[in-house]
Amino acid sequence: MPAIEHFIHGDGDRKQALVVIFLRGGADGLNMVAPLEDDGYYRARPRIAITKAKALALDGFYGLNPLLSHLQTPYNDGVLGIIHAAGSEDDSRSHFEAQDLMEHGGVVGGGWLGRFLRAQTAGTTGPLSAVALGKEVPECLRGAPAATVFASLDDFSLGANHARLMSSLARLYQAQPDDLGAAGHSTLDAVRRIESLRTASYRPSQGADYGNDEFSRGLLQIARLIKSRVGLEAASIDLNGWDSHFGQSTVMDPLMTRLGQGLGAFYRDMGREMDSTTVVVMTEFGRRVAENSAFGTDHGRGSVMFVMGGGIKGGRVFGQWPGLTRDVLEGPGDLPVVTNYRNILAAILQRHGSENIIDNVFPDFELHPLNLYA
Amino acid sequence: MKLPRRSFLKVGAGGMAILATAGCGQMPRELRQLLALVNPPGGPFQAPITEAIDPIIHALNRAGFGARPGDYQRVRKLAKTPEAAAAAYLEQQLHPENIQDEDADYAARRFETLQEPLGELFEYQPDLLHNELMRATVSRAVLSERQLFEVMVQFWSDHFNIDPSKGDCKWLKVVDDREVIRKHALGKFADLLRASALSPAMLWYLDGRVNRRANPADRPNENYARELLELHTLGVHGGYTQKDVMEVARCLTGWTVRSVGNKPYFQIGKVEFDPAQHDFGSKIILGQTVPSTSPALAKDILEQRGRHELDRVLQIVVAHPATARHLSAKLCRHFIADNPPAGAVAKVAEAFSKSEGDISQTLRALFQTDEFLLTRGNKFKRPFTFVASALRASGAITDCGMDIVDYLKRMGHAPFNYPTPEGYPDQATPWMGTLLWRWNFAVALSQNSIKGTRTDLASLRGAAGGDEPLMAHLLGRKPSPEEARAFVDSGDGLALMLASPGFQFC
């Protein structure tokens, strides 16, 4: 008979959690991580570029937007890696099509994360193995063996008669001789853990300071679930509204502040738990290199991705910088995609799963997983 | 139509008496429409009284999604002994065309987009179509009198799984469900297979549409050919080789679908055969030769010969003995046990071969095996069956709305959400982790916190004639003393019964 833990945590409780943050709307990578030493950047963005004086030092070539200052600590700790000129092969520059392709991982059934969880758990899966913060399960989790839209811990309660019902169920499942008895036992255990979470107040560790916005609160809930060992394997959360055609700074500044503060607090709160957790930040496409007349930028191609977690060869910016000369730019003047997002995700999934399933997660694509890990 | 709950229940109670005596056909139209949203709890009903699951409950569980209040009694009246009554019921279920199904039909009419012709479907948002497909499927499982038909629809939807999130399947799966799966669910397997092979959704899902050979350097796309052999017909150990896969793929080159990007719009989704993309060389499939055709022949002859190769391939694979064994094993796994007994598999495979793949006759043979008749209460319900049977058993009034579908998503078993071609697993183990959500659903159903769904424990208990018969109705047998005690102790007997180990099996 499988271990009791098996049914709460899925196969063997890997105790590894993957957190996917999707920045919807096409987030401008050049405004988050700027190529300070490429003059082309300043020529293309005379009014909206980040000046060398204001940028936070990363590696001498790139600088971080000061609004993302909270990312400096994990970066300097070597836990955060940045991949520039990353993205997908979709060149439609359509939000819908680019998100669709990115979340499905090609023209293929199900989402990449859903297929991963399905392939990973050939046996059984815990009820809380995958949660989505927000209103609906995102396409990337489509086809997952269990995907729950998580609004509040109250969702997991068994109603007004909770205690009586629990003890009656405990008696009946205890008498059940087969695998179902064990499954019932471990489910009761999961309900108890959730119940103690629900009734206890949560104080983030190390004085981590989450913001009061929805994104930060969502990350706090994710940290809480991971730490309480209810079998979370994947969580998804969106931060929306990056479509900065008009007034780049008005659109992006508050979002970057939220992203930075949220991730910074999560990192602090998680502490050692970060060793077995990976956070990946992605967006459907980057933006035109040249600013437009409205102090904004239009739909482009390559952007940045952030990966934070255990084992990352962090504190560096991955991916070859293609330059911003006319012969390099794609289409109407866009940063080309040097690193396909699948190669980043594949490296992460190899750490979170087994080596041989990534080809099933990303079919019809020749994978060259990025060398993200030490 | 929206009515306050109280009036619903009033009509429910009164209406049910009419239903019991007069039958649906003689009811006024308005009442029938109202009842289209109702899963009839009926008047007083009789529950089973045996210690173990009897043949009637067994038939209702396996050839359907469980007993509603009154079902047991209705089937019992079909013959003198429970065994004969169960057999008579199964025989009825094998002829869905003779079963009146007005309530389910009325309910299904709400899902208007699903009735749209192929050309109109592209006007709709994919999410709307997907939601309506899921809701309609739940609705039919809960309400339809053609229970075995709905079970087979689900079986074939898994067998010929298509995830509508891939490409144009977003729209085309609606047609596949209607014209392939539902049209042939109890018909001839060869017809079902051919309809599937030429289904625009399947041509998209398994890349048949890009399997072409315009010049000698082109390599065929093997995706469909492989799944045709591995999943749809012979089975993974069915004795075919990699060479067979490639040769089948060559036979099927040239078939394609007009995609959404193509104009004119009215031809979107149209399946076509282009001889110029077909490989006319000779092939050998499972030892049988498909002769070459000279490309110098007239175009209409080339087209005819090229098209014929698809039929030739299907003919070869359908007639292969491994196909009968593979399908028989899957049917026996579904209807008898996770590890299908070899004796039954052999008998059912023989019936399949003898009847030239007649699905009804194959099932009739299955229902007559001792293994089917005597292996009761051992199948762990998949989440869809759990939810449908809970709605049926509790006599819930339900609009089968997205709240219900969301529960199925949490349990990882919403219809049309499985990403890979093999379809949802049909064994217990992968579903063992879903108890938390089953319990959650049982509580929500009992406490009326699911939007659009209502149960009434008091009237259900009244109709059953007390707690004991109510428990027997829910479990399909007499409750054990422990179950009876837990029913009382739990403070929510309905939720407890639906969440209990006993209700997880069928």
Side-chain angles (χ1 to χ4, degrees), chain B residues 302 414 434:
Chain B
L302 280 180
T434 55

Side-chain angles (χ1 to χ4, degrees), chain A residues 194-228:
Chain A
I194 293 162
E195 189 60 15
S196 61
L197 270 185
R198 211 161 63 83
T199 46
S201 62
Y202 179 70
R203 185 209 285 256
S205 305
Q206 304 181 76
D209 179 22
Y210 288 98
N212 251 333
D213 57 284
E214 201 180 334
F215 176 70
S216 257
R217 284 201 312 270
L219 282 179
L220 177 146
Q221 293 293 347
I222 293 171
R224 206 175 168 189
L225 284 175
I226 293 173
K227 288 204 252 174
S228 62

Side-chain angles (χ1 to χ4, degrees), chain A residues 173-188:
Chain A
Y173 276 88
Q174 209 161 26
Q176 186 69 23
D178 45 26
D179 277 2
L180 185 62
H185 184 94
S186 62
T187 304
L188 287 160

